[in-house]
Amino acid sequence: MAATGEEQQGTKAYYVSTPIYYVNDAPHLGHAYTTVAGDVLTRWHRQRGEKVWYLTGTDEHGQKIMRTAEAHGVTPQEWCDKLVEEAWKPLWEHLEIANDDFIRTTEKRHTDRVQEFVQDLYDKGEIYQGGYEGPYCVGCEEYKTPGELLDGEGEYAGLKLCPIHKTPVEMLKEENYFFKLSEYGPKLLEFYEANPGFVQPESARNEVLSFVRQGLNDLSISRSTFDWGVRVPWDDKHVIYVWIDALLNYATAVGYGADEQKFAGTWPADVHLVGKDILRFHAVIWPAMLMANGLPLPGKVFANGWLMVGGEKMSKSNLTGIKPQDLTDHFGVDAYRWYFLRAIQYGQDGSFSWEDFTHRYTSELANDFGNLASRVGAMTVKYFDGDLPAAPAAGPAEQVIVDGLAHAAAEADRRIGDELDFAGGIAAVFDFIKKVNLYLTEQEPWKVAKAAIPGAADAAGSPEAQARLATILYTAAEALRAVAVLLHPVMPATSQQLWTSLGAEPALGPLADQRIAEAAEWGRLPAGARVTKGAILFPRLEDPKQS
């Protein structure tokens, strides 16, 4: 899937990261949603021919991990190792995530560099020692301000709750080291103004601007009440605050302080994909840390919304967590990858329902896309023995398809590749699929065949009808060739299946080597390509109550 040496040489990689996920439990749909989005984005840029680096990983330090491990009777490291190897990595493999690296914050390549980074800030006078007391949410690993807290009810009556986890906060008092975050408010506001696309979507940008304009407090960057973390290098009674540790993964994973050439060819990140509940860490604390260290800032922090079930954020804590495998077992992996990016506008909250997934699968995948591929393959085999004919009778109807493809390809490239509007980009491709279906309905190749095929209605076979039938089927097959390229980042296995059934690989090469810019170049699929029926792309769904 890599670009050619000529395309890559001397260029910085298009670098995308997901958050590194807490390993206090197995991944759920929310984790998979962000990771699939990053995978589609980076696959798209690879398909453009760009050099790409896609990073994901796990956050393994902090009090929450320590308590979870204790509750299970194992050490924190044992717990992390088990979850990473038995839950996180297998799921990414199952979902066809093509990440270039998987960083774990317990790895030496990370912990050593974290200590160096923090030591550098300390030596520059950016860190000082002080005390702090305040409400702390272990789930967020974050001090909360009194104004953020909720009043508890029922079993939590009289207590103050974290607004995200809806669990009581703890009053924490300790001597810590602090980063002079308060001094970076004006610098951050100046940076946001000069780079209006840094925080997206617009609602997230507005939230960050409002937060910073209220004034920033210095940030506690160490803890002394527990020891599961990276040691502060000048004071081993403290461990580095888990968020400072975690944010640095984006730099340590690409060679910060260890591989100058790799770092120069990758840094800074082009896009940090984050959940909106961790936006402030990435859009305020992270850029301030980089400013203090003198490193270039990322190009964009894009906050996706929450997946909702029954109006509740999907998470383990409120029992709405659903395993991705529950859905892939029923709908398939490619349909899973497609659905969440197609049905939910990236950057906004979105509701999931089994019924909506079933409806979209049946309507768009099975009826529109899958049926089109099946019909074209079957008719080409039936009428031309599987040898794709040339198109000698192209006219205005075919030009509508040619123009429609050019529009769909450009629209999808802009929306997905540049704007992270996955729903809009996928919709553009499926609008084109509908256009091709309409073309077949209007041109009625099955009726044209009666006059075209010797031994049918016209015993000799009409040359005009033969030319028309050939043109219709070539047009539909060539349209599907382009669709396979455009949907490959979203549905890699399905697109490969279609590519193979069109006989495209012997003539055009591997699907992964096809470029987005070439998708709309009409006529690339050569006459004579061996078309086969192939397996049904999207089989009929079984009733889960009966399976």
Side-chain angles (χ1 to χ4, degrees):
M1 191 176 290
T4 65
E6 183 177 347
E7 289 171 308
Q8 291 190 9
Q9 189 173 5
T11 60
K12 176 195 167 305
Y14 181 76
Y15 176 21
V16 175
S17 74
T18 70
I20 51 172
Y21 303 108
Y22 247 152
V23 290
N24 59 309
D25 211 330
H28 57 62
L29 290 184
H31 303 121
Y33 176 52
T34 306
T35 310
V36 169
D39 186 64
V40 171
L41 179 62
T42 47
R43 283 178 180 266
W44 192 274
H45 280 262
R46 287 191 187 99
Q47 206 93 38
R48 280 181 171 180
E50 297 174 17
K51 181 180 176 182
V52 168
W53 194 261
Y54 183 34
L55 174 69
T56 188
T58 45
D59 185 0
E60 303 181 13
H61 288 131
Q63 195 170 18
K64 182 163 59 173
I65 300 295
M66 186 181 71
R67 290 184 179 179
T68 301
E70 289 173 350
H72 287 82
V74 296
T75 68
Q77 189 66 64
E78 289 171 336
W79 176 256
C80 294
D81 291 345
K82 176 180 175 64
L83 264 290
V84 168
E85 297 303 327
E86 296 181 8
W88 290 87
K89 285 184 176 180
L91 179 60
W92 293 169
E93 183 176 351
H94 174 64
L95 294 178
E96 300 288 347
I97 305 300
N99 52 295
D100 296 283
D101 194 4
F102 189 102
I103 182 75
R104 299 180 58 185
T105 57
T106 51
E107 294 175 326
K108 184 175 175 59
R109 64 166 172 156
H110 173 74
T111 58
D112 286 355
R113 303 290 86 75
V114 169
Q115 288 185 314
E116 291 173 9
F117 186 98
V118 173
Q119 182 70 59
D120 181 66
L121 293 189
Y122 184 71
D123 293 342
K124 291 177 176 177
E126 298 285 349
I127 293 174
Y128 65 91
Q129 189 170 16
Y132 192 83
E133 180 177 9
Y136 190 80
C137 173
V138 175
C140 293
E141 296 282 11
E142 179 187 19
Y143 280 107
K144 300 294 182 179
T145 63
E148 293 180 274
L149 302 179
L150 304 177
D151 291 323
E153 299 177 353
E155 64 175 313
Y156 295 144
L159 301 176
K160 292 294 186 179
L161 309 183
C162 168
I164 295 174
H165 291 90
K166 309 297 193 297
T167 54
V169 294
E170 303 175 12
M171 288 303 298
L172 196 62
K173 180 179 181 180
E174 57 183 340
E175 287 292 318
N176 294 330
Y177 289 94
F178 287 78
F179 168 55
K180 296 178 180 178
L181 181 63
S182 61
E183 296 183 0
Y184 286 87
K187 298 176 185 178
L188 288 168
L189 291 173
E190 182 180 352
F191 176 78
Y192 301 148
E193 183 176 355
N195 299 274
F198 176 68
V199 182
Q200 294 187 17
E202 189 67 21
S203 58
R205 172 180 164 81
N206 291 338
E207 176 190 329
V208 168
L209 286 171
S210 176
F211 178 74
V212 177
R213 283 169 179 161
Q214 292 174 13
L216 300 176
N217 296 319
D218 288 347
L219 177 70
S220 171
I221 60 102
S222 74
R223 297 289 182 268
S224 58
T225 53
F226 61 91
D227 62 359
W228 178 239
V230 181
R231 295 286 180 181
V232 171
W234 63 88
D235 188 343
D236 63 7
K237 295 188 294 296
H238 290 250
V239 294
I240 296 170
Y241 174 39
V242 64
W243 267 106
I244 300 298
D245 167 10
L247 288 165
L248 282 165
N249 91 89
Y250 306 124
T252 63
V254 295
Y256 168 77
D259 187 336
E260 184 177 337
Q261 183 175 358
K262 181 179 180 181
F263 191 69
T266 314
W267 190 262
D270 292 86
V271 182
H272 288 314
L273 299 178
V274 304
K276 67 178 183 179
D277 51 338
I278 56 173
L279 173 63
R280 293 178 187 177
F281 295 101
H282 289 82
V284 180
I285 296 173
W286 180 225
M289 289 167 56
L290 295 172
M291 287 177 175
N293 190 266
L295 289 175
L297 273 59
K300 183 181 303 181
V301 175
F302 201 110
N304 62 258
W306 285 337
L307 293 183
M308 315 290 282
V309 173
E312 295 259 352
K313 178 193 173 190
M314 196 172 293
S315 67
K316 294 294 183 183
S317 60
N318 62 21
L319 303 181
T320 58
I322 298 175
K323 293 190 299 182
Q325 293 91 332
D326 294 339
L327 298 179
T328 60
D329 287 348
H330 184 67
F331 295 100
V333 170
D334 270 10
Y336 174 96
R337 290 170 57 96
W338 168 86
Y339 171 75
F340 286 98
L341 297 183
R342 170 69 179 95
I344 298 170
Q345 184 66 46
Y346 199 71
Q348 299 177 10
D349 293 346
S351 293
F352 158 80
S353 74
W354 193 278
E355 293 77 13
D356 184 58
F357 199 159
T358 300
H359 171 73
R360 289 178 181 272
Y361 177 101
T362 302
S363 174
E364 298 187 47
L365 294 184
N367 293 348
D368 289 346
F369 184 19
N371 190 43
L372 174 63
S374 294
R375 287 198 295 170
V376 172
M379 286 190 290
T380 305
V381 169
K382 180 178 180 180
Y383 301 138
F384 293 96
D385 295 325
D387 290 325
L388 184 68
E398 288 67 46
Q399 191 60 46
V400 170
I401 301 301
V402 174
D403 294 343
L405 173 58
H407 172 77
E411 189 78 354
D413 191 29
R414 175 177 63 85
R415 289 183 179 269
I416 296 176
D418 298 332
E419 299 175 1
L420 280 71
D421 177 7
F422 301 105
I426 293 170
V429 179
F430 273 77
D431 285 346
F432 175 68
I433 289 172
K434 290 179 184 293
K435 192 181 296 288
V436 180
N437 274 313
L438 178 61
Y439 167 80
L440 285 183
T441 299
E442 292 176 341
Q443 301 306 313
E444 300 180 310
W446 45 89
K447 289 187 177 179
V448 176
K450 293 180 179 180
I453 305 302
D458 183 341
S462 162
E464 292 79 7
Q466 290 173 359
R468 189 75 202 127
L469 179 61
T471 298
I472 295 168
L473 291 182
Y474 179 85
T475 300
E478 169 63 355
L480 284 171
R481 185 272 315 166
V483 167
V485 176
L486 294 173
L487 289 182
H488 185 235
V490 182
M491 297 189 283
T494 300
S495 297
Q496 182 59 57
Q497 186 179 336
L498 176 59
W499 190 254
T500 300
S501 70
L502 291 171
E505 186 142 344
L508 299 176
L511 176 56
D513 291 344
Q514 309 306 305
R515 297 290 168 250
I516 295 296
E518 297 169 344
E521 293 179 2
W522 192 261
R524 291 183 62 80
L525 188 62
R530 288 293 297 168
V531 178
T532 57
K533 290 183 180 180
I536 296 174
L537 296 183
F538 300 100
R540 182 182 300 274
L541 296 173
E542 295 182 6
D543 186 343
K545 298 177 183 177
Q546 299 176 0
S547 60

